C-alpha cells in the first residue's frame, strides 16, 4: 500500500503528552516521505473544511513540531463536542444534535488522506471505531489523565496529573498542619479513581475516597478522630470527583453533545463531616490544573513511543487498531478492546493493599 498523506488529530479533553505524540508522528512520517495534515479541533476540522479556530487544517513540517516536546496542551486544538453522530447545531433558536458522519467521510477523501491517526480517550476511540466501520483507515492513540482507557497499561498525561496533585498535597500538608484542619482535595477521574489513589500514595494522604470503594462518613470521622487523639489534629483526604457514599450517587451534569460532568464530591463530604468534627474542614478543587503543564519525562517518552508506533501501524496496515503499552512493550490492539469496558481501580489490587497497609483509610472500615 502506498501512503502519501496521513492526518493526525487530537480529541476529547487535552492532556500533557499530546504534543510529543504529534511531534513523533510528524518526524516519523517525514522520514518515510509522507505528508502530515494536522486536523484542527478533533473532528471539527473534518466536519467543516473551512473551520478555523484559529488556524484550520494544515500540513505540518518538522519546523512546526520543533520545541513542542516539553509543551502541555495540543498545537492542533481539541474538543469534547465533536462526535459526528451527535453534532450540536442550533435549529430555530434551540440546540439539537444531528448526524454529520457522512461529511467526515467525504472530507477525509477530499483532503487526500490515506490514513488518519486519532489521539483521544474512550469517547474519541468510540468515534474512531465508528469511522473505521465506515471505511476510514484509522489508527488510535490512547490519551487521558484519567487512566481509564482499557487494553493499555497506561496513558500519557496520567503521571503529569499525579505529579500536579502530589505537589498540591505537599503544599496542603503545610497549611493543614499549621491550622489543625481537615483538607479535602477533589481530583479528576470521572468513574475511575486512579489519579486519587496514586496521588494519595505519593502525597502522604490519610484518607482516599474512590468511586470504586463507596465510603461511609462514620469511617472517615473515626480515622480523623484517631489521628487527633494520637496528637495529629489535621488530616488530608483525596476525594475523587466520582467518589460516592455507600448507597448514594454522584452529582452529574448533562449537557447536549458533551460527556457528563461530575461535580460536588468533596463539598458533599465536607458537609457530611462538619457536624461530627470540631475541626475546620476546607475544600480544594484542583480541576483543570491537573490537565495543564509540561509533561513529565515518562509522558514525553510514552507520547513519543505511541506516535512512532502509530506511524508504523499505518505503514503495516493495522487499521482499526490502537497502539497500546503492555508490560513495557508497545503493541497494537483492536480499538473495540479499548472501548469494551472502562479501566477502573481494582479494590482488591496491590495499590489499594499497599495504601491500606500504610494506614490510608478508604472510608469503608
Ligand atoms: O480528561 C478527562 C477529564 O479530565 C475528567 O477527569 C473530567 O471530569 C473532565 O475531563 C472534564 O473536562 P471537560 O470539562 O473539558 O469536559
Amino acid at each position: 500500500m502506498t501512503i502519501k498523506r496521513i492526518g493526525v488529530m487530537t480529541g476529547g479533553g487535552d492532556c500533557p503528552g499530546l504534543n510529543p505524540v504529534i511531534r513523533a508522528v510528524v518526524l516519523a512520517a517525514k522520514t518515510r516521505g509522507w505528508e502530515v495534515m494536522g486536523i484542527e479541533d478533533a473532528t471539527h476540522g473534518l466536519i467543516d473544511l473551512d473551520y478555523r479556530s484559529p488556524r484550520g487544517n494544515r500540513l505540518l513540517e518538522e519546523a512546526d513540531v520543533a520545541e513542542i516536546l516539553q509543551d502541555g496542551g495540543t498545537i492542533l486544538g481539541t474538543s469534547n463536542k465533536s462526535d459526528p453522530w451527535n453534532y450540536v447545531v442550533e435549529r430555530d433558536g434551540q440546540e439539537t444534535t444531528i448526524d454529520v458522519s457522512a461529511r467526515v467521510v467525504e472530507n477525509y477523501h477530499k483532503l487526500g488522506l490515506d490514513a488518519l491517526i486519532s489521539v483521544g480517550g474512550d469517547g474519541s476511540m468510540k468515534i474512531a471505531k465508528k469511522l473505521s466501520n465506515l471505511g476510514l483507515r484509522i489508527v488510535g492513540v490512547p490519551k487521558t489523565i484519567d487512566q481509564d482507557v482499557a487494553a493499555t497499561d497506561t496513558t500519557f498525561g496520567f503521571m503529569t496529573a499525579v505529579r500536579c496533585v502530589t505537589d498540591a498535597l505537599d503544599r496542603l500538608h503545610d497549611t493543614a498542619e499549621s491550622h489543625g484542619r481537615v483538607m479535602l482535595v477533589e481530583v479528576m477521574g470521572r468513574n475511575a479513581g486512579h489519579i486519587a489513589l496514586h496521588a494519595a500514595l505519593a502525597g502522604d494522604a490519610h484518607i482516599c475516597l474512590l468511586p470504586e470503594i463507596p465510603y461511609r462518613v462514620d469511617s472517615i470521622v473515626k480515622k480523623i478522630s484517631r489521628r487527633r487523639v494520637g496528637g495529629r489534629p489535621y488530616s488530608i483526604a483525596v476525594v475523587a470527583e466520582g467518589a460516592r457514599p455507600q448507597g448514594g450517587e454522584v452529582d452529574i451534569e448533562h449537557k447536549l453533545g458533551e460527556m457528563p460532568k461530575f461535580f460536588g464530591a468533596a463539598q458533599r463530604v465536607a458537609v457530611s463531616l462538619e457536624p461530627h468534627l470540631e475541626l475546620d474542614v476546607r475544600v480544594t478543587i484542583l480541576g483543570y490544573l491537573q490537565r495543564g503543564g509540561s509533561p513529565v519525562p515518562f509522558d514525553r517518552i510514552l507520547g513519543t513511543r505511541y506516535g512512532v508506533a502509530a506511524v508504523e501501524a499505518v505503514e503495516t496496515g493495522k487499521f482499526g487498531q490502537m497502539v497500546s503499552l503492555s508490560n513495557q512493550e508497545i503493541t497494537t490492539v483492536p480499538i473495540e478492546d479499548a472501548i469494551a469496558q472502562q479501566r477502573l481501580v481494582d479494590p482488591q489490587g496491590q495499590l489499594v493493599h499497599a495504601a491500606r497497609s500504610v494506614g490510608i483509610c478508604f472510608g469503608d472500615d
Side-chain angles (χ1 to χ4, degrees):
M1 176 186 18
T2 316
I3 301 284
K4 289 197 187 114
R5 176 181 286 186
I6 62 168
V8 58
M9 65 182 184
T10 51
D14 68 337
C15 84
L18 289 169
N19 281 329
V21 176
I22 298 166
R23 172 179 175 269
V25 166
V26 171
L27 298 181
K30 287 288 170 186
T31 62
R32 290 162 169 81
W34 304 351
E35 287 181 335
V36 181
M37 172 71 75
I39 307 294
E40 190 163 53
D41 283 0
T43 48
H44 284 294
L46 285 175
I47 292 165
D48 175 6
L49 293 183
D50 292 326
Y51 181 85
R52 303 266 177 283
S53 174
R55 299 177 60 192
N57 303 333
R58 56 201 184 270
L59 286 173
L60 298 173
E61 306 299 334
E62 282 96 334
D64 296 308
V65 296
E67 313 288 333
I68 66 165
L69 181 63
Q70 57 275 49
D71 295 342
T74 160
I75 60 165
L76 294 175
T78 187
S79 171
N80 56 7
K81 296 182 203 166
S82 59
D83 179 350
W85 282 266
N86 282 299
Y87 194 62
V88 181
V89 289
E90 219 181 274
R91 291 265 159 91
D92 304 325
Q94 286 229 311
E95 284 200 328
T96 183
T97 56
I98 57 169
D99 177 354
V100 291
S101 54
R103 237 148 76 187
V104 172
V105 176
E106 193 184 321
N107 287 335
Y108 166 97
H109 293 297
K110 272 193 189 159
L111 286 174
L113 302 182
D114 297 309
L116 176 62
I117 294 175
S118 171
V119 191
D122 52 348
S124 303
M125 287 307 123
K126 282 179 188 148
I127 295 169
K129 175 66 192 146
K130 284 165 92 176
L131 290 173
S132 155
N133 291 345
L134 293 182
L136 300 200
R137 301 204 292 199
I138 293 208
V139 170
V141 176
K143 71 86 221 179
T144 168
I145 64 164
D146 298 342
Q147 172 105 307
D148 59 351
V149 178
T152 182
D153 288 350
T154 192
T155 45
F156 55 84
F158 173 68
M159 275 303 169
T160 307
V162 170
R163 169 77 189 262
C164 167
V165 181
T166 306
D167 284 349
L169 292 176
D170 289 350
R171 289 164 190 262
L172 288 168
H173 265 276
D174 298 342
T175 173
E177 192 166 1
S178 302
H179 284 267
R181 283 176 168 161
V182 175
M183 291 289 186
L184 306 180
V185 186
E186 184 176 303
V187 303
M188 283 183 164
R190 297 187 194 274
N191 287 311
H194 301 288
I195 296 177
L197 176 57
H198 281 72
L201 276 162
D204 193 13
H206 312 112
I207 297 151
C208 178
L209 305 180
L210 305 178
E212 296 87 348
I213 306 178
Y215 63 82
R216 287 194 330 269
V217 172
D218 68 295
S219 162
I220 307 168
V221 170
K222 210 163 40 164
K223 171 74 180 176
I224 295 169
S225 304
R226 268 205 311 268
R227 284 183 49 79
R228 196 176 178 196
V229 170
R232 293 200 164 80
Y234 78 100
S235 290
I236 307 271
V238 182
V239 183
E241 64 181 356
R244 63 203 82 188
Q246 287 183 13
E249 273 315 314
V250 205
D251 288 322
I252 294 181
E253 184 191 352
H254 294 274
K255 274 197 184 161
L256 200 63
E258 287 185 39
M259 300 276 272
K261 280 198 194 347
F262 291 67
F263 69 93
Q267 192 56 39
R268 180 180 196 169
V269 178
V271 169
S272 314
L273 283 179
E274 263 161 347
H276 305 285
L277 298 174
E278 281 160 27
L279 302 173
D280 285 344
V281 181
R282 294 286 189 270
V283 171
T284 303
I285 300 171
L286 292 179
Y288 298 92
L289 290 174
Q290 298 158 88
R291 290 226 305 240
S294 180
V296 297
F298 180 85
D299 289 338
R300 297 182 195 192
I301 295 165
L302 186 60
T304 301
R305 293 178 77 192
Y306 277 169
V308 170
V311 167
E312 287 169 358
V314 168
E315 189 168 42
T316 51
K318 291 186 178 160
F319 301 118
Q321 301 267 314
M322 181 187 86
V323 299
S324 129
L325 187 73
S326 173
N327 294 324
Q328 310 289 340
E329 295 289 318
I330 302 285
T331 178
T332 58
V333 294
I335 294 179
E336 56 259 40
D337 288 3
I339 57 179
Q341 58 182 21
Q342 247 190 328
R343 180 187 154 91
L344 299 176
V345 169
D346 176 2
Q348 316 304 331
Q350 288 193 352
L351 281 180
V352 172
H353 171 73
R356 287 194 198 277
S357 304
V358 296
I360 294 177
C361 163
F362 287 90
D364 62 337
D365 47 16

